[in-house]
Amino acid sequence: MTTLEALQNTLASIVAIVDQQDEVHGRVRLQKLGYLLQQSGFRPIQKTRFAYHHYGPFSEQLAGALDQAVASGLVEENRRDSHNGYKLYTYKLNREHPDVEYLKLAQADHETVRKFMSTSSSAHWRTLELAATVVYLERNLEISRETAITRALGLKPDCKPYRTDAEALLTGLSLRS
Amino acid sequence: MLDAIERNSGKPIDVQVREDTVLAALLHDVGHGPFSHTLEEILGHDQFDHEAMTVRFLTEPDSEITTLLERSSPGRSQRLAEYIDKDRRTEHHWWHAVVSSQLDADRLDYIQRDARMAGIDNHRPDIERLISHISCYQDGLVVDHRAFDVIESMLLALDHLYGAVYFHRTVRAATVTVQAVLSRVKARVAKELPEGDPLRALLEQRKEIALDDYVRVTDASFWYHLDRWRQSEDEELSFYVKRLGRRKLPKHLELPENELKKARQLENKALELAGAKFPGFNLDSLVTLDTPSRVNYKRYAVDGDFPIFTWERDATKPRRIEDIEEVRSIVPKVARKFYRSRLFVPPEIFNDLRAFAAKERLL
């Protein structure tokens, strides 16, 4: 059964991601980074459950923990208009919050997330969406990378321009099928 | 819905798509057993999942449903499975959204039905009008802006249902007690259930259970066992079953949202008090954390699902409803409402725990 430890681990993962950047843009981005980080072996997020949703792997737990982090003031949420008329949420770590110290990572975990974010933090959210979906499909349906990419692009035609970037990202993260 | 989509989009719907969609809508929850959301939590979602069971009923060769589907139209079995299981699809189509999306037929139905059955009379969204303004756009559904007020009242109704029914403290307290019963039975399955019993097969074989056995796990047989377990030689099992029967349910404290450290302090104290009061009992079942994300009805979730789109007159493309200004709409507020997690504890330790929280200024 769920205890606070599970929430603590998920929160620590969110903090770890948000901590590596000045600002994280968008909830989809945070979800996909969370999933790719899990698949890269980051310890605290291993038990967070992801299921397949419209934009690929998505975790209710992660979304709930993010709401919790915003409600507690640990993470600041801002909303702004993006260039194409959409509202965009941005997330920033509040370094003054007492939980920042409490959720501090072990050195090894810190190193994992640092490496992970140095490869993936600049990726477009569509690249992350495609990369996360490809990994999800190949690991859950046990299909090859090539088949997974074709399948993912069939489901997400908007991601077609990001194919090369997504493949490079997966290679950079050493995520093999 | 299909008639409205055909009329509003001006695109004729293929007969096969129409039949498939109606069948998928009718069959989409056929994989549910008694308390299956609770079972999913106890057994683990990767070990038992009602949607995966639905797909088995639709596709396995020895399922009667598969035979009937294939007899009516070859390939239908696989086509219907794509409506349920998103990662089986090679393409998303709008007709999938009729069965699985934020505007799917099930949700439009249960919002009305649950509000009525639970006696919540202040909301009766005009779903008929919403449906009459529904259309398709690319691979999703879109609603004409003229029915925007219905979307608002639907989301408000959903939010109120969530607070007043699905996440109601008594509903959740009873649910965590059923979970305590089932996890105790799972730990003692050979002692508590006779060989050949379908519930035993489910607890032991989980998602591998034969469909013939699974269809025999019914509400009636579950309640029968529950009655038997009142007399179980296992003190812990009979304890929870009796509490369920006598409505002596756990009480909750809403967790402080400002600091996780304080929440953990509270949890540790609860575990300590429960351990002293009920020596030998499993602490995981006595003290449980209940978070809104564990409730199996979906509030409006912006990030996980395809958003709801509306189409304004003269616009070149539809807009996501959450992009409509807050001053004009309640949508962003309802969509992003936050509920606090709860810590459920036995009533016996509730007052002590509350006194501790007050003393330590935890709440």
Side-chain angles (χ1 to χ4, degrees):
Chain A
M1 251 166 256
T2 325
T3 63
L4 276 171
E5 199 174 341
L7 177 64
Q8 183 169 340
N9 277 325
T10 314
L11 274 175
S13 308
I14 291 173
V15 169
I17 293 170
V18 181
D19 186 32
Q20 294 291 321
Q21 270 184 301
D22 189 33
E23 216 176 36
V24 173
H25 295 196
R27 291 172 75 89
V28 172
R29 167 182 289 272
L30 204 59
Q31 284 280 346
K32 304 312 151 198
L33 286 171
Y35 181 72
L36 290 170
L37 192 55
Q38 181 186 61
Q39 298 304 311
S40 308
F42 182 60
R43 193 192 46 84
I45 204 168
Q46 288 310 308
K47 286 191 178 156
T48 306
R49 180 176 167 262
F50 285 84
Y52 196 90
H53 281 245
H54 191 83
Y55 295 104
F58 171 81
S59 167
E60 289 266 354
Q61 262 174 295
L62 188 69
L66 181 60
D67 287 342
Q68 164 83 43
V70 171
S72 75
L74 175 62
V75 169
E76 286 168 24
E77 180 182 74
N78 285 300
R79 217 178 75 160
R80 63 159 168 257
D81 296 316
S82 73
H83 60 281
N84 52 8
Y86 284 155
K87 297 279 181 289
L88 180 72
Y89 289 97
T90 62
Y91 298 92
K92 206 178 163 105
L93 184 64
N94 171 13
R95 292 176 205 282
E96 307 298 311
H97 195 282
D99 281 349
V100 172
E101 190 57 34
Y102 193 62
L103 293 170
K104 218 167 171 183
L105 300 174
Q107 192 54 42
D109 294 330
H110 184 76
E111 195 45 33
T112 311
V113 80
R114 198 193 55 75
K115 268 197 201 140
F116 172 84
M117 288 299 283
S118 70
T119 313
S120 53
S121 64
S122 59
H124 190 275
W125 72 273
R126 284 288 191 193
T127 305
L128 293 171
E129 182 192 358
L130 181 59
T133 304
V134 166
V135 175
Y136 186 95
L137 292 176
E138 61 191 17
R139 297 197 171 174
N140 285 275
L141 305 179
E142 292 170 13
I143 54 179
S144 70
R145 167 103 0 133
E146 199 50 40
T147 316
I149 291 176
T150 313
R151 188 106 169 217
L153 288 175
L155 292 168
K156 302 166 183 298
D158 290 342
C159 288
K160 275 188 185 137
Y162 302 94
R163 178 184 175 148
T164 323
D165 288 354
E167 286 181 277
L169 177 64
L170 292 176
T171 310
L173 292 173
S174 312
L175 283 170
R176 288 173 237 288
S177 52
Chain B
M1 279 175 88
L2 292 169
D3 288 345
I5 292 167
E6 187 164 56
R7 186 180 65 240
N8 294 327
S9 69
K11 292 178 211 149
I13 302 173
D14 182 72
V15 178
Q16 181 178 289
V17 167
R18 187 177 271 271
E19 286 178 357
D20 282 357
T21 307
V22 170
L23 286 166
L26 286 170
L27 292 167
H28 82 281
D29 263 349
V30 77
H32 265 302
F35 297 95
S36 53
H37 286 307
T38 307
L39 277 167
E40 284 172 350
E41 287 215 19
I42 300 292
L43 299 175
H45 291 264
D46 52 339
Q47 290 299 316
F48 175 71
D49 168 56
H50 77 274
E51 285 190 354
M53 294 308 290
T54 298
V55 170
R56 288 187 57 192
F57 277 117
L58 295 179
T59 57
E60 283 194 3
D62 56 352
S63 158
E64 203 181 335
I65 294 173
T66 310
T67 313
L68 290 169
L69 292 175
E70 285 301 301
R71 196 185 296 159
S72 70
S73 162
R76 176 161 276 161
S77 152
Q78 290 301 327
R79 293 199 304 272
L80 258 55
E82 288 183 17
Y83 281 80
I84 313 300
D85 186 357
K86 291 191 178 71
D87 59 24
R88 280 176 174 256
R89 296 177 195 164
T90 47
E91 275 179 356
H92 293 297
H93 293 289
W94 66 261
W95 48 85
H96 294 140
V98 174
V99 178
S100 171
S101 73
Q102 308 209 47
L103 281 174
D104 66 40
D106 185 35
R107 189 174 299 202
L108 298 184
D109 175 55
Y110 79 62
I111 288 173
Q112 277 190 316
R113 185 162 30 87
D114 289 358
R116 169 174 292 242
M117 300 310 277
I120 298 175
D121 284 340
N122 51 343
H123 295 293
R124 208 158 294 168
D126 192 352
I127 300 289
E128 293 296 315
R129 191 153 62 85
L130 180 70
I131 290 173
S132 72
H133 285 298
I134 214 163
S135 185
C136 56
Y137 173 70
Q138 294 175 350
D139 57 0
L141 299 176
V142 60
V143 181
D144 188 286
H145 201 72
R146 279 173 292 182
F148 186 72
D149 58 314
V150 190
I151 295 181
E152 282 199 318
S153 61
M154 183 189 99
L155 292 177
L156 195 58
L158 197 58
D159 186 64
H160 287 194
L161 275 170
Y162 194 82
V165 183
Y166 312 136
F167 199 51
H168 188 279
R169 61 185 191 285
T170 314
V171 172
R172 297 308 300 168
T175 303
V176 299
T177 310
V178 172
Q179 279 171 352
V181 169
L182 280 169
S183 65
R184 195 65 196 146
V185 171
K186 183 177 159 244
R188 300 172 37 86
V189 71
K191 291 207 173 71
E192 299 299 344
L193 287 163
E195 206 159 326
D197 185 278
L199 183 59
R200 175 165 168 178
L202 180 57
L203 291 172
E204 284 177 341
Q205 299 159 36
R206 302 177 292 256
K207 63 182 172 188
E208 313 290 333
I209 186 175
L211 291 180
D212 281 350
D213 285 336
Y214 187 59
V215 294
R216 289 167 52 226
V217 189
T218 60
D219 277 53
S221 63
F222 182 85
W223 285 106
Y224 161 72
H225 285 305
L226 207 58
D227 190 51
R228 279 180 51 237
W229 292 327
R230 272 196 300 164
Q231 312 299 330
S232 168
E233 59 179 19
D234 183 63
E235 198 193 339
E236 203 173 337
L237 178 57
S238 65
F239 170 86
Y240 289 114
V241 177
K242 284 176 188 159
R243 293 212 155 191
L244 204 54
R246 293 172 191 161
R247 307 290 187 269
K248 191 169 182 183
L249 299 173
K251 288 182 175 285
H252 79 274
L253 283 175
E254 278 194 348
L255 284 180
E257 67 183 35
N258 55 342
E259 267 183 65
L260 187 67
K261 201 172 161 184
K262 290 182 177 174
R264 288 218 73 165
Q265 242 178 301
L266 199 65
E267 184 187 49
N268 287 336
K269 185 68 182 178
L271 291 168
E272 180 197 316
L273 290 169
K277 189 83 193 170
F278 303 97
F281 275 37
N282 219 321
L283 289 175
D284 284 354
S285 292
L286 283 172
V287 176
T288 49
L289 179 73
D290 198 39
T291 58
S293 62
R294 293 166 80 203
V295 178
N296 282 289
Y297 285 85
K298 302 254 168 51
R299 285 178 299 147
Y300 180 72
V302 181
D303 23 345
D305 285 328
F306 195 68
I308 297 179
F309 282 96
T310 69
W311 207 315
E312 285 164 280
R313 179 182 288 198
D314 300 330
T316 51
K317 61 173 191 179
R319 279 217 295 170
R320 306 190 303 195
I321 56 166
E322 63 266 29
D323 290 332
I324 291 162
E325 279 308 316
E326 272 174 57
V327 282
R328 282 175 52 207
S329 161
I330 55 135
V331 166
K333 288 195 180 70
V334 176
R336 319 250 322 131
K337 192 158 167 181
F338 174 72
Y339 289 85
R340 283 208 234 170
S341 300
R342 294 168 175 152
L343 194 67
F344 277 104
V345 299
E348 287 85 349
I349 68 163
F350 180 69
N351 284 335
D352 287 349
L353 185 64
R354 211 159 50 163
F356 171 80
K359 194 173 125 245
E360 302 287 326
R361 295 169 189 264
L362 294 180
L363 296 180

